[in-house]
Amino acid sequence: MPETLTITDNRTGVTYEVPIENDTIKAIDLRKIKVDPDDFGMMTYDPGYTNTASCKSRVTYIDGDKGILEYRGYPIEQLAEKATFLEVAYLLINGELPTASQLAAWEDSINLHTVVHENIKRQMEEFRYDAHPMGMLISTVASLSTFYPDAKQVGCKENRMLQMTRLIAKVPTLAAFCYRHSQGHPYNYPNNSLGYTSNFLSMLFKMNDNAYEPHPELVRALDILFILHADHEQNCSASVMRAIGSSNADPYSALAGAAAALYGPLHGGANEAVLRMLKEIGDVKNVPSFVQKCKNGETRLMGFGHRVYKSYDPRAKIIKKTADAVFEVTGRNPLLDIALELERIALEDDYFVSRKLYPNVDFYSGLIYQAMGLPTTMFPVLFALPRTSGWLAQWQELVEDPEQRIQRPRQVYLGERGRDFVPLSKRG
Ligand code: CMC
């Protein structure tokens, strides 16, 4: 079977043969399709990149119709059940699960870099008392680039590994500082004798008594949430990470951009939006009228729908189970009943069924974070923290891929051309 596509341009009757590789054609191969030799040539038009592959990747696999998610070939269900977040971060960055000694060395090097420069702390203190934690996180991650000018050497593998280790180690410290700032509480320094996730909880919640010990069920639940959020292939923020990285910017600047993309309510800000929505609905009896509003197009059912998943998001299934374990410790979140009723009605309703809209990762995660005592404004930060490892894995793959070039899409220009300038006195 020939691995080619035959295209006939009905404007000219000319037939073109285009090679197929991995079920794709190269967009540049269409350029030879022209009516006149002077034409620019054919392009594809794809706002939102709904059917355009921007890279070849070996990091994360998703089958949206079957609800499959794998990191480096390992199903998310097995990783969530059996791995720790740091093991998964290692897997994403290095392509293989670590051996026991590799994992110990990885944990040691992360521990070595958890502290941030005191000037970062002082910068953070200058934010307004009610600054959104995600705004603080984005700016302080960008600030880190000024502390590590060596990060500009993106072509050096060793240097890249150092910066990636620093970022995975320091983002939890920054995230915890964001929370402490918003509470008006003193910042807690990292305690490297604790594990990655316990240390994060301790930096969030420890008061002056030093006696804070995170509940092991909550540590494990948060670790699972971190695993589920670690990567999701070429989503909006990963694409931003790659777009900024493609200009050879340092990873701190690129990651600040990726985090900014994550902040939006259609992406990682959805978990915050879900909680606001549940509070606004207020009572199970108001669910049907809210669903009707969604169907009328007046609002969206936040935490539902996905560009890629056209069946139940596999992460949402695991989160729902994790929520039960958390509520055993913290007590049931009263908003859960509203969420369950929303899900029940939506999954039976033709509007949602026909559009294949199912709960996504953000539908239940916020209920867990809230039960753990975190304010809604921290939710996107809790998404950005583990996603840091995924963004970095994507960035590293981009930098090492000889086929990648600076990202620079084309446009279909429909505006005016060749107009003569009109002096101010002659306008209107
Ligand atoms: N509630 C109601 N209707 C919806 C929803 C929703 N949550 N999502 C999509 N639709 C409808 C939409 O109105 C459209 O209907 P029609 O064909 O009649 O115009 C149809 O479904 C297709 O929607 P779309 O906006 O073209 O789909 P998209 O692939 O561009 O958007 C999405 C995907 C995730 C942005 C969207 O489903 C959405 O806005 N969901 C709510 C926000 C959310 O939960 N985001 C988190 C996504 S998962 C985590 C992450 O990526 O960070």
Side-chain angles (χ1 to χ4, degrees):
M1 188 168 55
E3 288 289 296
T4 60
L5 182 72
T6 304
I7 303 169
T8 302
D9 186 345
N10 292 323
R11 298 171 303 176
T12 58
V14 178
T15 295
Y16 302 84
E17 189 106 330
V18 178
I20 299 175
E21 197 190 320
N22 304 315
D23 276 336
T24 57
I25 57 164
K26 289 203 171 104
I28 198 71
D29 285 340
L30 301 178
R31 190 70 74 71
K32 60 187 175 199
I33 302 176
K34 297 180 179 188
V35 174
D36 290 315
D38 287 348
D39 284 352
F40 182 76
M42 182 77 76
M43 296 186 296
T44 56
Y45 174 60
D46 189 8
Y49 306 120
T50 52
N51 197 36
T52 296
S54 63
C55 62
K56 293 175 182 163
S57 183
R58 291 182 167 77
V59 181
T60 293
Y61 173 80
I62 301 175
D63 182 329
D65 292 327
K66 297 196 184 118
I68 295 173
L69 169 61
E70 294 172 359
Y71 297 157
R72 302 282 189 185
Y74 293 101
I76 192 67
E77 293 79 5
Q78 290 184 26
L79 293 170
E81 195 189 328
K82 296 178 179 150
T84 63
F85 170 69
L86 273 192
E87 257 178 298
V88 168
Y90 182 99
L91 171 70
L92 286 169
I93 303 266
N94 297 289
E96 296 297 335
L97 284 167
T99 62
S101 62
Q102 284 168 333
L103 182 61
W106 172 239
E107 286 169 349
D108 282 351
S109 55
I110 297 285
N111 275 341
L112 200 67
H113 292 287
T114 50
V115 171
V116 295
H117 196 286
E118 284 293 290
N119 285 359
I120 284 275
K121 203 181 86 177
R122 279 193 280 276
Q123 260 182 28
M124 221 152 207
E125 279 162 0
E126 296 307 317
F127 282 108
R128 263 181 67 131
Y129 67 96
D130 60 352
H132 194 290
M134 197 61 180
M136 290 194 262
L137 183 76
I138 292 165
S139 352
T140 45
V141 167
S143 277
L144 284 180
S145 75
T146 65
F147 291 85
Y148 304 110
D150 57 323
K152 285 186 174 50
Q153 299 162 37
V154 293
C156 168
K157 194 173 174 61
E158 250 172 50
N159 191 283
R160 284 201 299 274
M161 187 47 89
L162 173 62
Q163 310 311 333
M164 288 194 287
T165 310
R166 279 180 174 148
L167 269 160
I168 293 171
K170 288 182 202 304
V171 165
T173 311
L174 296 180
F177 282 12
C178 293
Y179 171 70
R180 301 291 288 194
H181 180 89
S182 63
Q183 300 298 300
H185 291 155
Y187 306 159
N188 284 321
Y189 288 104
N191 175 351
N192 294 334
S193 65
L194 300 172
Y196 189 80
T197 305
S198 314
N199 178 36
F200 176 58
L201 281 167
S202 154
M203 286 190 287
L204 287 175
F205 295 126
K206 192 179 73 173
M207 296 311 282
N208 288 338
D209 54 7
N210 274 337
Y212 174 78
E213 254 192 59
H215 194 291
E217 280 291 345
L218 299 188
V219 175
R220 183 59 196 147
L222 195 55
D223 214 53
I224 292 173
L225 284 168
F226 284 174
I227 292 170
L228 300 180
H229 286 87
D231 193 50
H232 214 232
E233 53 117 309
Q234 309 313 316
N235 53 76
C236 176
S237 55
S239 302
V240 169
M241 183 82 196
R242 281 178 176 262
I244 301 178
S246 77
S247 73
N248 284 353
D250 69 83
Y252 301 97
S253 306
L255 206 127
L262 187 78
Y263 192 5
L266 297 188
H267 191 8
N271 51 18
E272 193 180 347
V274 169
L275 254 282
R276 292 193 207 293
M277 174 186 78
L278 295 176
K279 274 191 207 146
E280 191 191 309
I281 296 172
D283 196 291
V284 171
K285 71 175 190 310
N286 301 327
V287 168
S289 59
F290 183 80
V291 170
Q292 192 54 48
K293 270 198 201 167
C294 297
K295 289 163 63 174
N296 297 345
E298 291 167 48
T299 185
R300 284 207 162 191
L301 178 46
M302 299 311 286
F304 255 68
H306 200 276
R307 169 64 60 77
V308 180
Y309 291 120
K310 299 303 168 200
S311 65
Y312 213 102
D313 182 336
R315 302 168 299 173
K317 272 188 206 152
I318 303 168
I319 290 185
K320 220 172 152 185
K321 265 200 257 157
T322 310
D324 292 336
V326 169
F327 298 156
E328 285 280 309
V329 178
T330 61
R332 194 177 159 88
N333 188 325
L335 295 175
L336 179 67
D337 291 330
I338 300 175
L340 289 170
E341 182 63 358
L342 265 178
E343 183 184 335
R344 190 188 66 77
I345 294 189
L347 292 183
E348 284 174 359
D349 191 298
D350 188 54
Y351 174 93
F352 296 92
V353 174
S354 63
R355 288 170 179 76
K356 299 188 174 164
L357 301 171
Y358 294 89
N360 60 47
V361 70
D362 291 316
F363 194 65
Y364 287 106
S365 59
L367 290 172
I368 301 183
Y369 298 143
Q370 195 186 49
M372 286 178 173
L374 286 153
T376 44
T377 50
M378 272 300 284
F379 297 177
V381 171
L382 291 158
F383 195 151
L385 187 160
R387 185 54 63 86
T388 295
S389 59
W391 288 328
L392 291 170
Q394 299 287 342
W395 169 75
Q396 172 179 247
E397 192 175 60
L398 163 105
V399 173
E400 291 178 357
D401 182 350
E403 287 187 3
Q404 286 294 331
R405 302 164 71 189
I406 185 166
Q407 288 198 15
R408 206 307 184 183
R410 293 281 178 176
Q411 62 172 4
V412 178
Y413 181 71
L414 299 177
E416 302 283 353
R417 290 284 325 278
R419 301 207 277 181
D420 279 330
F421 181 76
V422 182
L424 191 55
S425 59
K426 300 229 165 101
R427 285 178 221 160

